[in-house]
Amino acid sequence: MPGYLSRLRTSRPPPTGGRRTGRLSVLSPRTAAGQVFLLQGTIVVLLVLVAVASIMLQAARDAVRQGRRESVVAAQSFASAPGVSLALRSPDPTAVLQPRAEEARKRAGMDFIVVMNTDGIRYTYPYPAEIGKKFVGTIQPALEGRTVIEQAGGPPLPAGKGTDVQAIVPVTDARGTVVGLVSAGKTVKNVSQLWMPQLPIVLGVGAIMLVLAAAGTIAVSRRLLRQTHGLAPTELARLYEHHQAVLHAVREGVLITDEDRRLLLANDEAKRLLGLSADAQGRHVRELGLPDQMARVLASPEEVTDEVYLANDRLLAVNKRPTFPEADHAGSVVTLRDTTELAVVSGRAEGALGQLKLLYEAGMRIGTTLDVERTAQELADVAVPRFADVVAVDLLDSVVRGSEPTTEGWRHLLRSAISGDQRMLPVYRLGEVITFSPDTPQMLALEQSRGVLEADLRQAAGWQEQDPERTRRALEAGLHSLVTMPLRARGVPLGLAHFYRTQGSPAFEPEDVAFAEELGARAAVAIDNARRFTREHAMTVTLQRSLLPQGQPEQDALEVAWRYLPSEAGVGGDWFDVIPLPGGRVALVIGDVVGHGLHASATMGRLRIAVHNFATLDLPVDEVLGKLDDLVVRLDDEDDSGAAPDDQEGAGLTGATCLYAIYDPVAGICTMARAGHPGPVVVNPDGTVVCPDVPASPPFGLGGYPFETADVHLAEGSQLILYTDGLLKNADRDIDAGLEGLRRALGRAGAGRRTPEETCRAVLEALKPARLSDDIALLAARTRRIPSSSVAEWDVPPDTAVVPSVRAECRTVLSGWGLEETAYTTELILSELVTNAIRYGSPPVKVRLLHGRSLICEVSDGSSTSPRLRRAAMTDEVGRGLFLVAQFAQRWGTRYTAHGKVIWAEQMLHDGTPGPADDAPVDVLLEQFGDPLM
């Protein structure tokens, strides 16, 4: 076999089948090339002869047809000539017609023109001796007035002997009576001379064709001679027989593929080992239905030496070499040796081979996911039915939850997986919590950290004492043998695997315990990995959810609902928030941190806290994004400086996107800006869906780029939809297709009447993928407007003398709102704020009161200087105003505008009425203000 393969790899194998004594000629009849040359030469000569014969026959047929036409014309012309019918009635027709007939014959080029009476007696003939004799031919149709054309022999003619082509026509008188006959004709011999001039041309063309055919045949024969290496046909046949005998008789599979990895040849053994179909030849190796590993080996250009692969329940040793190593694109020769038969060295070899293959399959099937219970089910499924008939897996409850297993939980296990006929296992069902007694083989396996064999369950007292009634039914169902195996990883028990055999299967033996230990060890590692992932995933989700909003803040501007779905691959950095702002406004923010895991969650938490801080300062939208961008750049600088540990998950460049929006319910305007984040979607009250044109800015982390804002007017009842890109794109669709799906989900019938909760539910039902590869954050907010009847606003002249009138106006407004009980406190707050604005600010000064969930007093002026709370001594005449504001208002602060600043104070209302008044009177507060201990 190695010699055979070496011949396949050489470009010119030496000839076999006989000893060659010299170089053979192309024309040697012993070679296949010489025989092909002689055969083709003979065929060319025959073709030339056939062509000449065909031309001759065609010329003869054409000559006969031409002679028939000329004979008819000559006979009819003479019969119609004037005086012929009168001459036939004359006393001596021959004397009159013979000269005229000979003259017409010579002019027409005919061999004869014969005039005869109605009895067929000749009146004219080229030879006078033949005149008066009977005409040779058929005259009866002519006597009836028809023309006769025929071939017949006759007396000698000037052209010589031969069969003539003759035409016979009637001669009629003026009354149409046939008075005689005229026949004209030519001999075939004379007509056939017409094709003789073409014979040299035909022979010349044939000679040229013979020369060209000989040259082509010689060229083909030389090529054939090179390819057959001068072998005779018998030698070629013998070589093919040897090739077939060696190829199909060896006990090794042989495959030959071309440079495109298409199968050129497969012997019988290869077809048997790989299960190839009859039409496999010519197909690509990936189209043969082979196992993935075997298909990759055959499709790869790499050489392979004695590598073992599993194919069709066989372990095959594979060797692969190129057919022409010196070529750039060569095919391959692959040999396959069935090593499974080598394991048959004893009566138990087949069982060992099955266990080996089962372990191989277990390594492929167990641990395909990071789900603890799914991994346990994979262990149960892989062992049935080739090792056990029924398999059950019990895990510690802490393992299922992802916690670290402890010995305290040994006696309480959760049945996590069952495979096989569950009717055979009536002891415990899936999901039941099991408490094993100390004498059971299960508890013994946990304590001794080794497998326990119960070859005959009828003799297993400890197993039967666990639950006598259920174990009795199990024995009646057919269970008779058990191997229970602890699942251990890193020296820590995770649970138990129980392998049962039923009637019809042999009992377990001690050798089976070792196999069960190997199988359990592989599964335990996968289960422990899934447990650790579950723990880390739960920790990350807990951290992520703790950093997200835990409840909706109290505010009047928006009705809000949200959804957060962590990815299955690991929690990411998606986040959102709803932040109440002064003046009844609300900030909406949604963002996404690049990456997954704890690092992304921690970064998200830092950004969310930063947004809260910036919102507290009441900064404009673009400034908030700018400061977040600076924060991300600083975080990257910290990582680049080496402050972060090298093994920190997600360490490196931090990237994030964000959309920040502030909605003003008084004006109905939402100011938005986004940093690399998908744009918002608005559902109008009439159900139409639009995508506002919010300018796109770079994501956080680039630094130095401005952030553009957009003001969007939202009608009351509109819904503003914010989301992260995990909602739109996944493995099955891109972001454009996802955005179109979001628009369809939001634009369905009744969309304008949905609540935010219903909107979130409808969007997730339409767009949530089967497997979450990225986090999804979704925020839906329906707008509300503060009615004009709940807003009071007026200008204040820059004179402190008008403060009493401001208080009076405030009292009137509060009376109209039914808030008389809070009038005194509000007047005090408002008078202090207006007095400060007139004294320390600049015109114009304005007052605005907002009545909603709370009562908000706002005083604006044209300066940018902000008041601050300070301590005043008892002897100071000023400095106590803001202290009083801080004491009577739940919150107060300053926000800056494009034209100055706004000082605001908020008083909480309970069910639309003022909250309980503070028991401390103003005088007491003022006295405490001067206390040096405060």
Side-chain angles (χ1 to χ4, degrees):
M1 194 64 193
Y4 173 73
L5 293 180
S6 64
R7 288 198 300 274
L8 288 177
R9 290 196 294 268
T10 58
S11 59
R12 294 194 175 206
T16 60
R19 187 174 182 180
R20 318 300 297 175
T21 58
R23 184 175 181 85
L24 296 178
S25 170
V26 173
L27 302 181
S28 175
R30 295 186 56 191
T31 65
Q35 294 178 6
V36 169
F37 173 75
L38 294 178
L39 177 62
Q40 289 188 348
T42 302
I43 291 174
V44 170
V45 171
L46 291 177
L47 290 176
V48 171
L49 294 178
V50 169
V52 172
S54 298
I55 293 174
M56 293 174 61
L57 292 176
Q58 184 64 34
R61 286 194 295 270
D62 293 343
V64 170
R65 286 195 296 269
Q66 181 178 358
R68 291 161 66 95
R69 288 193 300 269
E70 292 178 356
S71 298
V72 171
V73 171
Q76 290 180 347
S77 299
F78 192 83
S80 302
V84 174
S85 59
L86 295 177
L88 289 173
R89 294 180 182 274
S90 64
D92 189 2
T94 299
V96 177
L97 296 176
Q98 176 68 11
R100 296 176 60 182
E102 285 301 305
E103 182 181 359
R105 177 182 69 82
K106 294 178 182 179
R107 287 200 307 268
M110 304 300 294
D111 286 337
F112 65 90
I113 295 178
V114 177
V115 182
M116 66 195 81
N117 60 14
T118 56
D119 295 328
I121 303 301
R122 301 188 187 99
Y123 288 147
T124 65
Y125 200 78
Y127 295 126
E130 299 296 327
I131 297 175
K133 295 181 179 180
K134 187 73 173 179
F135 175 75
V136 180
T138 304
I139 63 174
Q140 185 60 37
L143 294 176
E144 297 174 358
R146 298 195 303 270
T147 299
V148 180
I149 303 174
E150 62 180 356
Q151 296 179 5
L157 296 172
K161 294 182 179 180
T163 302
D164 64 283
V165 178
Q166 60 188 11
I168 305 171
V169 298
V171 180
T172 58
D173 56 11
R175 291 176 297 182
T177 303
V178 177
V179 297
L181 303 174
V182 176
S183 175
K186 285 187 176 182
T187 62
V188 174
K189 178 179 179 181
N190 290 343
V191 174
S192 300
Q193 296 298 325
L194 296 175
W195 61 267
M196 291 300 295
Q198 302 179 12
L199 184 60
I201 298 175
V202 173
L203 294 178
V205 172
I208 294 174
M209 291 174 58
L210 183 61
V211 171
L212 293 176
T217 302
I218 291 175
V220 172
S221 300
R222 287 180 176 176
R223 182 177 180 84
L224 184 60
L225 182 65
R226 290 195 301 269
Q227 294 180 346
T228 59
H229 302 281
L231 296 177
T234 56
E235 295 171 334
L236 286 175
R238 188 162 55 250
L239 178 61
Y240 176 76
E241 291 171 357
H242 293 170
H243 166 271
Q244 290 294 98
V246 173
L247 185 65
H248 297 289
V250 296
R251 292 300 304 274
E252 288 190 3
V254 179
L255 300 172
I256 301 179
T257 61
D258 60 11
E259 61 183 17
D260 296 327
R261 302 298 178 254
R262 294 188 176 277
L263 184 64
L264 298 180
L265 182 144
N267 67 350
D268 296 340
E269 183 70 5
K271 293 178 180 178
R272 183 183 70 85
L273 294 176
L274 298 179
L276 299 179
S277 60
D279 60 346
Q281 186 170 334
R283 297 166 60 185
H284 195 276
V285 294
R286 292 193 178 277
E287 301 175 358
L288 301 179
L290 301 177
D292 292 340
Q293 285 188 327
M294 182 62 68
R296 284 196 298 269
V297 170
L298 297 181
S300 171
E302 302 296 330
E303 296 185 7
V304 175
T305 302
D306 290 333
E307 293 188 9
V308 179
Y309 298 94
L310 181 66
N312 297 336
D313 295 331
R314 298 179 182 275
L315 295 175
L316 303 180
V318 180
N319 288 273
K320 181 181 177 183
R321 295 292 185 273
T323 53
F324 301 103
E326 69 279 0
D328 293 335
H329 302 285
S332 299
V333 178
V334 181
T335 61
L336 310 172
R337 186 171 65 256
D338 188 359
T339 61
T340 55
E341 297 180 359
L342 299 178
V344 186
V345 295
S346 66
R348 307 184 65 89
E350 184 176 355
L353 177 61
Q355 292 180 354
L356 179 62
K357 292 189 289 186
L358 182 56
L359 287 177
Y360 177 86
E361 184 178 347
M364 302 294 293
R365 292 176 54 184
I366 298 177
T368 58
T369 67
L370 289 174
D371 182 81
V372 174
E373 294 182 339
R374 178 58 187 165
T375 304
Q377 187 63 48
E378 289 171 347
L379 166 62
D381 292 340
V382 79
V384 176
R386 285 186 286 177
F387 179 67
D389 298 315
V390 179
V391 177
V393 179
D394 302 332
L395 299 178
L396 275 68
D397 183 62
S398 58
V399 172
V400 177
R401 289 184 284 104
S403 303
E404 194 71 26
T406 60
T407 56
E408 288 78 6
W410 284 8
R411 296 189 62 185
H412 302 285
L413 292 93
L414 180 69
R415 177 133 297 176
S416 303
I418 299 177
S419 184
D421 190 353
Q422 297 188 27
R423 294 174 299 177
M424 296 287 187
L425 193 65
V427 182
Y428 295 103
R429 297 299 180 184
L430 193 66
E432 289 190 44
V433 176
I434 307 171
T435 302
F436 289 108
S437 61
D439 297 331
T440 58
Q442 290 86 352
M443 187 57 63
L444 183 62
L446 281 175
E447 293 175 349
Q448 297 180 356
S449 299
R450 64 176 179 83
V452 174
L453 169 64
E454 293 289 352
D456 188 356
L457 289 177
R458 293 172 297 180
Q459 308 299 324
W463 179 76
Q464 295 183 23
E465 291 175 359
Q466 171 70 24
D467 191 333
E469 177 60 26
R470 290 189 177 185
T471 54
R472 181 187 62 79
R473 288 188 284 123
L475 292 173
E476 292 176 354
L479 293 182
H480 68 85
S481 187
L482 164 68
V483 171
T484 184
M485 184 62 53
L487 301 175
R488 298 175 58 86
R490 299 179 293 109
V492 178
L494 307 175
L496 291 167
H498 316 295
F499 303 94
Y500 293 92
R501 284 185 179 174
T502 62
Q503 291 179 353
S505 299
F508 286 112
E509 298 182 1
E511 293 82 359
D512 296 321
V513 178
F515 172 78
E517 289 179 347
E518 179 66 24
L519 186 62
R522 296 193 179 196
V525 173
I527 292 174
D528 188 57
N529 289 337
R531 178 195 65 79
R532 297 174 67 182
F533 173 80
T534 301
R535 181 188 61 186
E536 295 178 2
H537 188 266
M539 291 173 56
T540 309
V541 170
T542 302
L543 174 62
Q544 176 83 337
R545 293 192 182 277
S546 67
L547 295 175
L548 292 174
Q550 302 302 309
Q552 295 194 16
E554 295 183 355
Q555 44 85 26
D556 296 323
L558 297 170
E559 179 185 354
V560 182
W562 59 67
R563 294 290 188 276
Y564 170 72
L565 302 178
S567 72
E568 298 178 8
V571 178
D574 290 15
W575 57 289
F576 58 91
D577 214 335
V578 179
I579 307 172
L581 297 177
R585 298 168 303 138
V586 177
L588 299 176
V589 58
I590 191 166
D592 186 3
V593 177
V594 175
H596 294 84
L598 293 176
H599 179 71
S601 297
T603 303
M604 178 273 291
R606 299 167 78 174
L607 292 179
R608 181 168 179 258
I609 293 173
V611 169
H612 270 272
N613 293 334
F614 299 145
T616 301
L617 298 175
D618 208 350
L619 298 177
V621 170
D622 54 343
E623 290 189 26
V624 171
L625 295 185
K627 292 187 178 297
L628 289 176
D629 186 31
D630 294 338
L631 175 60
V632 173
V633 171
R634 286 197 300 273
L635 294 178
D636 288 338
D637 292 340
E638 291 177 2
D639 292 340
D640 294 339
S641 65
D646 294 337
D647 59 349
Q648 178 179 333
E649 179 188 4
L653 182 64
T654 299
T657 65
C658 181
L659 188 149
Y660 188 72
I662 295 179
Y663 173 66
D664 186 350
V666 177
I669 296 176
C670 186
T671 303
M672 293 182 279
R674 59 189 179 111
H677 201 82
V681 178
V682 174
V683 181
N684 293 319
D686 60 359
T688 59
V689 180
V690 296
C691 295
D693 186 14
V694 180
S697 300
F700 295 149
L702 300 179
Y705 292 93
F707 296 95
E708 301 181 46
T709 62
D711 292 334
V712 180
H713 291 267
L714 299 178
E716 184 172 10
S718 300
Q719 289 201 40
L720 181 64
I721 312 299
L722 308 181
Y723 52 89
T724 56
D725 58 358
L727 179 68
L728 302 185
K729 65 178 182 180
N730 53 49
D732 300 327
R733 63 172 181 261
D734 56 18
I735 195 167
D736 293 332
L739 182 58
E740 182 61 29
L742 175 61
R743 292 172 62 94
R744 288 197 301 269
L746 293 174
R748 291 173 182 167
R753 298 186 299 273
R754 289 175 181 163
T755 65
E757 282 288 340
E758 293 172 342
T759 299
C760 291
R761 188 182 309 115
V763 169
L764 290 182
E765 289 177 355
L767 298 180
K768 180 185 175 182
R771 183 179 184 277
L772 292 177
S773 58
D774 194 6
D775 292 11
I776 294 178
L778 175 63
L779 183 64
R782 183 160 64 181
T783 60
R784 298 170 178 155
R785 295 288 296 272
I786 297 179
S788 58
S789 60
S790 298
V791 180
E793 184 176 8
W794 65 91
D795 296 332
V796 177
D799 186 357
T800 57
V802 302
V803 173
S805 64
V806 172
R807 298 179 62 164
E809 180 71 21
C810 173
R811 189 180 310 112
T812 303
V813 172
L814 295 179
S815 177
W817 290 343
L819 301 178
E820 293 86 354
E821 296 182 9
T822 193
Y824 175 76
T825 303
T826 306
E827 291 176 25
L828 178 62
I829 293 173
L830 191 59
S831 63
E832 292 296 335
L833 297 181
V834 171
T835 301
N836 284 339
I838 295 174
R839 287 181 177 178
Y840 307 111
S842 60
V845 179
K846 292 184 178 181
V847 173
R848 186 170 73 165
L849 299 178
L850 300 177
H851 178 210
R853 189 185 302 268
S854 61
L855 179 62
I856 302 174
C857 300
E858 295 182 348
V859 177
S860 62
D861 66 83
S863 70
S864 59
T865 58
S866 175
R868 60 186 180 87
L869 187 64
R870 66 182 181 87
R871 185 178 299 278
M874 291 297 296
T875 57
D876 290 341
E877 296 182 359
V878 294
R880 298 180 179 85
L882 288 181
F883 177 77
L884 293 175
V885 172
Q887 292 298 319
F888 285 105
Q890 274 69 30
R891 296 189 304 158
W892 76 279
T894 304
R895 77 172 185 268
Y896 294 94
T897 65
H899 306 290
K901 67 177 182 299
V902 177
I903 310 297
W904 58 272
E906 182 177 7
Q907 302 175 75
M908 298 305 298
L909 302 177
H910 297 273
D911 299 327
T913 61
D918 198 335
D919 294 336
V922 178
D923 294 338
V924 175
L925 292 175
L926 293 177
E927 291 177 1
Q928 293 177 353
F929 190 87
D931 191 345
L933 297 178
M934 288 184 62

